[in-house]
Amino acid sequence: MNEDLQPPPPQADWAYFVDFDGTLVDIAPRPEAIRVSDGLSELLCSVGAAADGALALVTGRSLADLDRHLALPEVAAAGVHGLELRGGPRPDTPDPEPRARVLARVRAAAEQLAARHAGLRVEDKGEAIAVHFRAAPDLGPEVLRTLSGVVAGSGDLLTLLQGKMVVEVKPAAANKGAAVESFLSETPFAGRRPCFIGDDVTDEDGFRVCNARGGISIHVGPPHADTVARYRLASPSAVHDWLAQLLGREKDPLHEHA
């Protein structure tokens, strides 16, 4: 990535895929503590309308959790890294029983870690388990080591992701790139140039899909990030301003928090 390369202006005939945490809202110490900017829901609805509905939110959160913060059930979305899809084709669902048994072991290991260390927080997404250590950064290696051991015994059912102060275990078949491919196979996304905006390692699969299709991949954050994204925006507020260009606005007043 050229760390100084700003993305071109957004276009109405693109298909937009946008991460949530760290991309549309600032990262918070706890997932439930995020602050959603006034006007963000309105901006997303307007961008979706300008793109004839070709806007999808692609997040590691469950769709139920996402809706608690944005309340945009009419907007297409992928939750739990693509395991849940709304407004797109249903993902393949292999026999859930073996995966559920292994996830139960992951859940137990995560809860044991949290019981020993007050600075850890377990986020149970049902089909994925995340352990946040933002309040206790020194515990990151222990979290990674413990969960890696469980995942190693799962065969090819589960995979482990290292994000920003979080280690997450999810089904191996679920990733944001596969979610983007699913959306692009159907109206209103099909035939459009894809644009993916994200900030973390979990977004790299989405970037790769967009790059392979000649699309726009935008990493959100500081320069010199290790990413395959081809463009950069500095912060969620910069993402808001860039999206607002699609609506003919130079700057959108979305920086006051609810």
Side-chain angles (χ1 to χ4, degrees):
M1 179 186 71
N2 182 338
E3 61 269 14
D4 297 319
L5 192 57
Q6 294 293 296
Q11 303 297 315
D13 59 353
W14 292 355
Y16 294 88
F17 304 97
V18 189
D19 175 46
F20 185 58
D21 293 89
T23 298
L24 290 173
V25 298
D26 289 317
I27 298 290
R30 303 178 311 281
E32 68 274 14
I34 59 164
R35 303 172 71 188
V36 178
S37 301
D38 290 336
L40 178 57
S41 293
E42 179 184 356
L43 173 66
L44 294 173
C45 284
S46 297
V47 168
D52 292 327
L55 167 70
L57 302 175
V58 185
T59 177
R61 291 178 183 260
S62 68
L63 293 184
D65 189 21
L66 179 68
D67 288 343
R68 278 192 288 271
H69 295 284
L70 281 180
L72 292 174
E74 71 280 6
V75 173
V80 196
H81 308 288
L83 200 63
E84 302 173 342
L85 286 183
R86 177 173 68 211
R90 292 180 61 84
D92 293 334
T93 54
D95 183 2
E97 287 303 319
R99 189 173 66 209
R101 288 194 294 271
V102 181
L103 271 173
R105 296 201 292 272
V106 173
R107 186 176 292 108
E111 291 173 349
Q112 289 169 10
L113 276 173
R116 292 199 305 270
H117 303 292
L120 300 180
R121 183 189 179 282
V122 177
E123 183 184 6
D124 191 340
K125 304 177 183 182
E127 292 280 5
I129 307 293
V131 179
H132 299 264
F133 53 91
R134 187 170 295 274
D138 291 346
L139 294 175
E142 181 178 353
V143 172
L144 178 60
R145 184 170 57 252
T146 299
L147 296 187
S148 294
V150 182
V151 170
S154 74
D156 59 356
L157 293 175
L158 302 178
T159 190
L160 185 143
L161 295 173
Q162 298 180 64
K164 295 179 178 177
M165 298 294 180
V166 62
V167 177
E168 181 166 357
V169 177
K170 68 175 185 65
N175 68 74
K176 292 184 178 183
V180 170
E181 292 278 18
S182 293
F183 282 121
L184 287 171
S185 71
E186 293 197 352
T187 304
F189 301 93
R192 289 171 171 258
R193 189 181 192 187
C195 172
F196 194 101
I197 314 173
D199 74 301
D200 207 350
V201 64
T202 60
D203 300 307
E204 294 296 315
D205 290 318
F207 295 150
R208 292 186 185 94
V209 168
C210 286
N211 291 346
R213 288 173 171 258
I216 304 294
S217 52
I218 305 173
H219 182 267
V220 181
H224 310 297
D226 183 13
T227 178
V228 299
R230 293 172 174 167
Y231 301 96
R232 185 180 76 88
L233 290 169
S235 65
S237 63
V239 174
H240 300 168
D241 293 340
W242 184 79
L243 288 171
Q245 293 179 49
L246 186 59
L247 313 177
R249 307 175 190 173
E250 287 299 318
K251 193 170 180 68
D252 205 68
L254 296 181
H255 313 321
E256 291 300 318
H257 293 289

